Amino acid sequence: MKDPLVLGFVLVVVDVVLWRAAFPRHDTVRLLLRLVIFALLSALLFGSALSPFTPAPWPESPGRHLAAQILEVSWWLIGARLLTLSLDAAFRSRHWHRERLFQDVLGALVFLAAVVASLAFVLGLPVTGLVATSGALAIVLGLAIQSTLSDVFAGIVLNTTEPYHIGDWVSVDGVDGKVLEMNWRATHLLTAQGNIVIVPNAVAAKTKITNSSRPVALHGVSIALQISPEERPATVLGALERAVTGSSIMLQTPAPYMLIKKVSINSIEYEVTVYIDDMSKTIAVTNQLYDLCHRHLAAAGIELWPLGVPRPPRRDVADSRQRLLSHVDLFRALQGEELEALSKRLSRHEYEANQVVVKSDAVTDYLMIVESGVVSVVVAGPSGPVESTRLGPGDSIGEAGVLAGLPVQAQITALTRAVIYQLDKADLTPLLKSRPDIGQQMCQLLSQQQDSLRKLNAEVPVPAGTEHTVLNWLREGMRKLHDLTT
């Protein structure tokens, strides 16, 4: 067992087992253990006339001579691998640890040097002739794999200049996605549709790259709208400004802006740009922005219809009030005549910017429907007042008060100049008495809304100890408030 060849191969086998089994699991501990094994192997070889810097001994014994050559070559290859891992652990940056290009290129260079050294020292081959032969072979291979080499060198340029890192949201060659991997050949992008797109490094190095993750926590979202040139631009821009005010998930700094992009005889193109702090919000914010713009444009009297089609007639005030009521979920089961009767009982109220509409301790028994403007709803949260939502044209609040006499439990403030219609509870009583089924549907819908409010610490005031569900409690409150028969 004292034979250096046997001991040497035992150490090599142990190193290979640790490498293949990935044991220990911690990379640094495993590297240190492999370095210790390599040090023992080096001490064994240099102390037993098996130096990797000299040709293998025992030429008179072909079997032992070949085994010695294999052991010495293995020393060079293992040393090259451990040198690569050590340099990788000592000098690579936090971002490079997740990128494979430099590790692959550095490993290839170190292994190439180890192979040349082993051929020269262990096998005694003439390096100059080998280099000349390999140079000619390299030219042939270079011509054969020209595109692959282009990707490799382009990858080196990309990793050196660092236009993006793993996890960044980028646009490369017209492909938008999140960077998942960067290797010696290509960049892997995960698109919003869940697909993996592989962009060759040579293509990425030549094309325009847009990195949406820089600067950090600041991303722009833009939408374009084409409006009839008959509409005054100042009116359109005012409606769009109120639309961006209606969202609480968009950043206020930098301020959103809107501008006229292009004017033609058929339309005027407007662009609205807002900012968000997370690219994952892009789809939600874009959809919300289109919805808000549509609602505020309609509230400003700007009817949206296909360009080139004759303008439809303007709705009169009565039709506008019925249309406003039909947007309220509480009244979605009502028919035309019922909506018309309720619309005649709506009262119109105007509020200036920053004016309080309802105080947090006020008890209201009327429904509020926003016709135009933006209204903020603030509820009491665990750590203080919290803005729960912002209301825009077609939104309503106070359903619980007009149906069952429950307080709003929120402070309502106009963020912009606003027009709000109110419907008193007494005006709803005739409808509930003539249509009991409508009242049941309203209670069911309202109970679902109250479940959502409780998540914001705005709980329904159900008396302690009651075994009634929220739906039953609302039904009981409705019967008492509107004097309905059971």
Side-chain angles (χ1 to χ4, degrees), residues 235-282:
T235 303
V236 176
L237 292 173
L240 296 179
E241 184 177 355
R242 291 189 293 274
V244 298
T245 306
S247 174
S248 58
I249 62 177
M250 305 172 190
L251 296 179
Q252 299 302 314
T253 304
Y257 65 90
M258 52 289 307
L259 56 86
I260 299 175
K261 290 283 291 185
K262 185 171 59 177
V263 178
S264 67
I265 60 175
N266 294 320
S267 66
I268 299 179
E269 182 175 331
Y270 298 83
E271 183 180 80
V272 182
T273 301
V274 300
Y275 295 92
I276 55 178
D277 57 3
D278 189 347
M279 279 296 294
S280 62
K281 299 179 181 178
T282 301

Side-chain angles (χ1 to χ4, degrees), residues 93-399:
S93 68
R94 176 172 59 87
H95 295 292
W96 288 5
H97 273 291
R98 297 176 296 174
E99 300 165 6
R100 293 168 44 192
L101 178 64
F102 275 95
Q103 182 181 5
D104 293 342
V105 174
L106 180 62
L109 294 176
V110 173
F111 266 96
L112 179 61
V115 170
V116 173
S118 63
L119 293 176
F121 291 114
V122 178
L123 302 181
L125 297 178
V127 177
T128 55
L130 181 63
V131 170
T133 304
S134 62
L137 181 61
I139 294 176
V140 176
L141 290 177
L143 294 175
I145 58 174
Q146 184 176 3
S147 61
T148 302
L149 290 177
S150 177
D151 290 332
V152 172
F153 286 106
I156 294 175
V157 173
L158 289 174
N159 279 263
T160 303
T161 57
E162 297 184 339
Y164 48 78
H165 295 295
I166 302 296
D168 288 354
W169 287 89
V170 298
S171 176
V172 182
D173 195 32
V175 179
D176 298 331
K178 182 179 180 181
V179 180
L180 292 183
E181 180 184 342
M182 298 170 60
N183 55 37
W184 57 271
R185 180 185 174 274
T187 297
H188 296 228
L189 301 179
L190 175 64
T191 66
Q193 292 76 28
N195 301 321
I196 300 294
V197 177
I198 300 176
V199 181
N201 289 332
V203 175
K206 296 177 182 179
T207 190
K208 180 176 68 175
I209 299 174
T210 302
N211 193 332
S212 300
S213 297
R214 300 182 186 177
V216 179
L218 183 61
H219 315 285
V221 177
S222 299
I223 66 169
L225 299 168
Q226 291 185 340
I227 307 298
S228 169
E230 296 181 6
E231 305 294 348
R232 183 180 176 183
T235 303
V236 176
L237 292 173
L240 296 179
E241 184 177 355
R242 291 189 293 274
V244 298
T245 306
S247 174
S248 58
I249 62 177
M250 305 172 190
L251 296 179
Q252 299 302 314
T253 304
Y257 65 90
M258 52 289 307
L259 56 86
I260 299 175
K261 290 283 291 185
K262 185 171 59 177
V263 178
S264 67
I265 60 175
N266 294 320
S267 66
I268 299 179
E269 182 175 331
Y270 298 83
E271 183 180 80
V272 182
T273 301
V274 300
Y275 295 92
I276 55 178
D277 57 3
D278 189 347
M279 279 296 294
S280 62
K281 299 179 181 178
T282 301
I283 296 178
V285 170
T286 301
N287 293 337
Q288 184 189 55
L289 196 55
Y290 274 115
D291 178 71
L292 290 173
C293 290
H294 183 278
R295 290 159 57 188
H296 283 272
L297 287 171
I302 302 173
E303 299 288 346
L304 301 178
W305 72 94
L307 301 176
V309 177
R311 186 188 184 112
R314 297 279 186 179
R315 292 186 177 91
D316 56 26
V317 177
D319 289 340
S320 298
R321 291 188 179 187
Q322 290 184 44
R323 185 167 179 263
L324 188 63
L325 271 179
S326 65
H327 288 162
V328 180
D329 290 338
L330 200 63
F331 304 130
R332 63 187 179 188
L334 299 184
Q335 304 299 323
E337 294 181 357
E338 296 165 336
L339 283 175
E340 181 180 1
L342 279 182
S343 66
K344 295 179 180 179
R345 299 184 176 276
L346 293 175
S347 59
R348 188 175 186 272
H349 302 268
E350 295 186 6
Y351 300 91
E352 299 298 327
N354 300 320
Q355 182 177 352
V356 176
V357 179
V358 175
K359 294 183 179 181
S360 58
D361 56 350
V363 178
T364 60
D365 56 358
Y366 51 84
L367 175 70
M368 291 166 283
I369 310 173
V370 181
E371 183 194 44
S372 63
V374 181
V375 175
S376 173
V377 181
V378 177
V379 299
S383 58
V386 177
E387 185 180 53
S388 64
T389 186
R390 292 186 179 183
L391 306 179
D395 291 331
S396 61
I397 191 171
E399 290 90 341

Side-chain angles (χ1 to χ4, degrees), residues 7-141:
L7 293 176
F9 278 109
V10 169
L11 291 175
V12 170
V13 170
V14 172
D15 181 80
V16 172
V17 170
L18 294 179
W19 167 48
R20 298 301 297 174
F23 178 82
R25 298 298 179 185
H26 195 279
D27 294 339
T28 304
V29 176
R30 184 168 64 254
L31 175 60
L32 293 176
L33 185 58
R34 294 186 66 188
L35 288 173
V36 171
I37 295 175
F38 182 74
L40 294 176
L41 178 63
S42 301
L44 175 66
L45 295 182
F46 285 104
S48 58
L50 289 172
S51 172
F53 292 96
T54 59
W58 310 304
E60 70 284 354
S61 177
R64 288 180 63 82
H65 182 71
L66 177 61
Q69 288 180 326
I70 294 175
L71 187 60
E72 291 180 2
V73 171
S74 299
W75 182 89
W76 281 104
L77 297 180
I78 294 174
R81 179 57 179 166
L82 293 178
L83 177 60
T84 303
L85 294 176
S86 299
L87 293 176
D88 179 68
F91 297 108
R92 285 176 65 195
S93 68
R94 176 172 59 87
H95 295 292
W96 288 5
H97 273 291
R98 297 176 296 174
E99 300 165 6
R100 293 168 44 192
L101 178 64
F102 275 95
Q103 182 181 5
D104 293 342
V105 174
L106 180 62
L109 294 176
V110 173
F111 266 96
L112 179 61
V115 170
V116 173
S118 63
L119 293 176
F121 291 114
V122 178
L123 302 181
L125 297 178
V127 177
T128 55
L130 181 63
V131 170
T133 304
S134 62
L137 181 61
I139 294 176
V140 176
L141 290 177

